[in-house]
Amino acid sequence: MPAYKKIQAAILQRIEAGELKPGDAIQSERELAKIHQVSLMTARHALGSLERDGVVLRRRGSGTFVAPPKVHFNKLMSFTEQMTGRSLRPASTVLSFGIVDEEPEVAARLALTPGTRLIRIERVRQGADEPFALETCYVSADEFSKLTRPALERGSLFSILEREYDIELSYADEEVDATSADATTARLLRIPPAAPLLRIRQVIYSTKGRPIIYVLGLYRSDRHNLLIRRFR
Amino acid sequence: MPAYKKIQAAILQRIEAGELKPGDAIQSERELAKIHQVSLMTARHALGSLERDGVVLRRRGSGTFVAPPKVHFNKLMSFTEQMTGRSLRPASTVLSFGIVDEEPEVAARLALTPGTRLIRIERVRQGADEPFALETCYVSADEFSKLTRPALERGSLFSILEREYDIELSYADEEVDATSADATTARLLRIPPAAPLLRIRQVIYSTKGRPIIYVLGLYRSDRHNLLIRRFR
DNA sequence: AAGTGGTCTAGACCACGGC
DNA sequence: CCGTGGTCTAGACCACTTC
């Protein structure tokens, strides 16, 4: 492990342990260099990328300080993670699980040739026993042949892909708009027909930048809202 | 201007001039150091922050390359900028312009004391002569006393704040959900009553991290969708 | 004045990619 | 193999903040 990463790890550990709280001063660059027996440039590099990750704030002439607690904006999280983060017990019901080969638009979004066989999964997502969303997701059937309905009912899709296929998911591009519930959706989500829904079409990419999952989600707008941070 | 910024500027200029296209190789770190008469570390610093800004991709053993064209994900843009980016002629109609002092929730979002006087502006936003959205925005009345209705009808709020008050807007936190149009909104946006709308509540911050503007926007979902990128 | 972060030098060795 | 980016050294001066 490079020296600068060791320095970062040491600082992160002190923050996680609660030894350093937001606003507290970190050791100066020169102190860090001395303590870790590295040159000033290396200590600076360590702080530089901690700063870019939002862990730390540097003020010239004054020092380096622990940044305010991270707000989880623009974070890609599985449904399970979202729910547990809000301390709601997550649950899912698989409505359907099957293979389709006539979804050229979805295939295109996954950068696959039009006729490719896809696994199509329809789920109702629940939190605290209330339905939150209706999600339809697609992955390549040939690539993820080990993905079965029982496996999905046990664990989350994210974790299956990460564990069984060694695919690290990295980011998602989302298209968000509003729509209103049709009769079936309304019944499944236990809302009045034509109630407003947040519609999110999501392409989830691996660390290599390859599209892996396509998700169409319909979210009850009385139970869900997006938090986004945009930059100028 | 620091040497590393000069190097960045030189590279950015070559990209903007079309001399370097996405995927093209940039000069190597050693070449840049020689050309600009700086040490290797300085050339590396220049490329390092260009990479973090997504301008450039570095591949060890291979070289540094112009990144694919920036997708405008998670970009804070004024309505005018959004429309011109889609080559639609932007227009706005100011429906109301006045001072309110009984909006404690809005004041709170702007980190002002509850009774603070606020300028409240209601506008219909149009693109290509079609109504797109209904926006209500709030700014501190005491701080932005030069903000008048005629000024707003001439230029955008963003540009007034940036030019007249030297405030650089930096980022926005948004809360997005779906709702349906009430009778007035439907009439103003020329959509059927109860049609689905995208509701965006936005707090826009200055570079100093101070909240400046609060905006409540109702967007026709048939004309507008959000593009978001989320990271794991 | 002392200490901090910001920039910079002129070298070095390593790990990786493509030929 | 050679060239690339990735890490690192042991110093230096500057601009800024704090006291």
Side-chain angles (χ1 to χ4, degrees):
Chain A
M1 186 189 273
Y4 78 97
K5 287 207 174 182
K6 283 184 194 165
I7 300 176
Q8 293 177 345
I11 294 170
L12 286 170
Q13 201 196 323
R14 291 183 61 195
I15 293 174
E16 304 225 334
E19 189 183 333
L20 288 173
K21 292 198 178 55
D24 286 358
I26 308 264
Q27 292 128 318
S28 78
E29 302 179 341
R30 286 161 181 80
E31 279 174 317
L32 283 172
K34 199 166 290 178
I35 293 168
H36 292 87
Q37 296 278 297
V38 296
S39 83
L40 188 54
M41 280 300 274
T42 303
R44 275 187 58 67
H45 185 187
L47 291 183
S49 49
L50 280 185
E51 181 184 38
R52 149 193 111 192
D53 293 347
V55 178
V56 127
L57 295 174
R58 295 152 108 189
R59 283 203 290 277
R60 181 198 300 227
S62 162
T64 301
F65 305 87
V66 180
K70 269 187 244 172
V71 192
H72 281 210
F73 284 107
N74 305 352
K75 274 291 169 217
L76 174 59
M77 292 193 294
S78 73
F79 179 76
T80 311
E81 289 164 342
Q82 285 180 50
M83 286 300 114
T84 52
R86 291 205 255 164
S87 42
L88 295 173
R89 199 170 44 76
S92 296
T93 312
V94 179
L95 298 176
S96 73
F97 182 104
I99 290 188
V100 294
D101 55 6
E102 279 298 324
E103 293 277 9
E105 274 200 41
V106 176
R109 298 230 191 193
L110 292 175
L112 299 170
T113 51
T116 310
R117 295 165 63 248
L118 298 168
I119 300 177
R120 178 177 183 276
I121 305 157
E122 251 187 323
R123 290 184 287 187
V124 174
R125 305 296 221 155
Q126 288 138 322
D129 299 321
E130 276 272 356
F132 259 66
L134 184 63
E135 268 188 18
T136 312
C137 59
Y138 299 84
V139 295
S140 160
D142 298 331
E143 189 171 356
F144 303 109
S145 50
K146 280 189 284 186
L147 185 59
T148 61
R149 185 165 182 157
L152 203 65
E153 275 160 350
R154 277 197 307 277
S156 89
L157 178 57
F158 270 42
S159 60
I160 294 174
L161 293 189
E162 294 188 344
R163 274 205 315 272
E164 305 276 319
Y165 290 95
D166 234 14
I167 286 180
E168 261 190 280
L169 299 173
S170 154
Y171 66 94
D173 287 342
E174 305 186 356
E175 228 180 297
V176 181
D177 64 357
T179 186
S180 47
D182 61 27
T184 322
T185 309
R187 186 171 42 75
L188 288 167
L189 294 180
R190 291 196 228 132
I191 50 176
L197 293 173
L198 208 54
R199 173 168 50 195
I200 306 180
R201 300 181 179 92
Q202 199 179 37
V203 182
I204 307 178
Y205 296 82
S206 73
T207 38
K208 306 239 161 60
R210 198 161 61 89
I212 306 291
I213 316 175
Y214 177 75
V215 189
L216 168 63
L218 296 170
Y219 294 83
R220 282 178 61 168
S221 67
D222 55 344
R223 284 290 142 83
H224 200 84
N225 54 22
L226 290 175
L227 289 184
I228 307 166
R229 178 166 288 183
R230 315 183 89 96
F231 303 90
R232 192 113 173 88
Chain B
M1 184 189 279
Y4 79 96
K5 286 210 173 181
K6 282 184 194 165
I7 299 175
Q8 292 179 343
I11 293 170
L12 286 171
Q13 201 197 324
R14 289 182 62 196
I15 293 173
E16 304 228 330
E19 190 183 332
L20 288 174
K21 292 198 176 54
D24 286 359
I26 308 265
Q27 292 128 317
S28 79
E29 302 178 340
R30 287 160 180 82
E31 280 174 317
L32 283 172
K34 199 165 292 178
I35 292 168
H36 293 87
Q37 296 278 297
V38 296
S39 83
L40 187 54
M41 282 299 274
T42 303
R44 274 187 59 67
H45 185 185
L47 291 182
S49 51
L50 280 185
E51 181 184 37
R52 152 193 110 194
D53 293 346
V55 178
V56 126
L57 295 175
R58 296 152 106 188
R59 283 202 290 276
R60 182 200 298 228
S62 161
T64 300
F65 304 87
V66 179
K70 271 186 239 171
V71 192
H72 283 210
F73 283 107
N74 305 353
K75 275 289 168 219
L76 174 59
M77 292 193 295
S78 73
F79 179 76
T80 311
E81 289 163 342
Q82 285 180 51
M83 286 299 115
T84 51
R86 292 206 255 163
S87 41
L88 295 174
R89 199 169 44 75
S92 296
T93 313
V94 179
L95 296 177
S96 72
F97 182 103
I99 291 188
V100 293
D101 56 6
E102 281 298 323
E103 294 276 8
E105 276 201 39
V106 175
R109 299 228 190 195
L110 292 174
L112 300 169
T113 51
T116 311
R117 295 165 63 247
L118 298 168
I119 301 176
R120 178 178 183 277
I121 305 157
E122 252 187 320
R123 291 185 285 186
V124 174
R125 305 296 221 156
Q126 288 137 319
D129 298 323
E130 276 271 355
F132 259 66
L134 184 63
E135 269 188 17
T136 312
C137 58
Y138 299 84
V139 295
S140 159
D142 298 332
E143 188 172 357
F144 302 108
S145 50
K146 279 188 285 187
L147 185 59
T148 60
R149 185 166 182 155
L152 203 67
E153 276 161 348
R154 276 197 308 276
S156 89
L157 177 58
F158 269 42
S159 60
I160 293 174
L161 292 188
E162 293 187 344
R163 274 206 314 272
E164 306 276 319
Y165 290 95
D166 234 14
I167 287 181
E168 260 191 281
L169 298 173
S170 155
Y171 65 95
D173 286 342
E174 305 186 356
E175 228 180 297
V176 181
D177 64 358
T179 185
S180 47
D182 62 27
T184 321
T185 308
R187 187 171 42 74
L188 288 167
L189 294 180
R190 292 195 228 133
I191 50 175
L197 293 173
L198 207 54
R199 173 167 52 195
I200 306 180
R201 302 181 179 88
Q202 199 179 38
V203 181
I204 307 178
Y205 295 83
S206 73
T207 38
K208 307 242 160 59
R210 198 161 60 90
I212 307 291
I213 316 175
Y214 177 76
V215 189
L216 168 63
L218 295 170
Y219 294 83
R220 284 179 59 167
S221 67
D222 55 345
R223 283 291 141 83
H224 201 83
N225 52 22
L226 289 175
L227 289 184
I228 307 167
R229 176 165 290 183
R230 313 183 91 93
F231 302 90
R232 192 117 172 88

